[in-house]
Every structure is written in C-alpha cells, then in structure tokens.
Amino acid sequence: MGKPPPITNRVRELREAHGQMSQAALGEAVGVSRHTIIAIEQARYSPSLETGFRIAKVFNVGLEDVFGWEGD
C-alpha cells in the first residue's frame, strides 16, 4: 500500500461532535458520496480544495481547523 497523503484531517471528530452526523449526511451536504467521506477520514484520499472548503463550512470552522499539512 502506498504512503498516505501528507494532509491530515479532523473530519470524523467534527462530524461526531456535530450531533453524530453520518458520513452519508456529510457527503450529501458537500456534494460527494459517503465513500468519499470514508476515504477522506481514513486519509486514503485528499479532497479537492472546493470540497475542503465545503466541509469546513458545514461545521462553521476554518479550513485549517479541519485539515492540516504534515508534508516536507
């Protein structure tokens, strides 16, 4: 298996703190599938910038409150 992307995230933590929001509900809110949300949470997929902003908007936080960078 390949190296995970250097982007970290708090999507699962924020989703659970937001009334136990389901992965499907978050996906619907931002216009992606539940499987995409799962892949983002498991750091198997880095979302587009647009999707990242949409996720942050759902939780009413800044982009850097959702995503972090652990790259070089």
Side-chain angles (χ1 to χ4, degrees), residues 2 5 7-8 12-13 16 40 42-43 50-51 57-59 63 66-68:
I7 295 175
T8 61
R12 177 181 218 144
E13 176 186 340
E16 290 175 351
I40 292 169
Q42 294 176 349
E50 180 180 349
T51 299
K57 186 176 181 180
V58 166
F59 299 122
L63 189 63
V66 182
F67 298 97

Side-chain angles (χ1 to χ4, degrees), residues 33-56:
S33 71
R34 177 179 73 87
H35 297 288
T36 299
I37 298 299
I38 291 168
I40 292 169
E41 288 184 356
Q42 294 176 349
R44 292 186 292 118
Y45 174 74
S46 296
S48 69
L49 188 54
E50 180 180 349
T51 299
F53 275 110
R54 287 178 182 201
I55 291 170

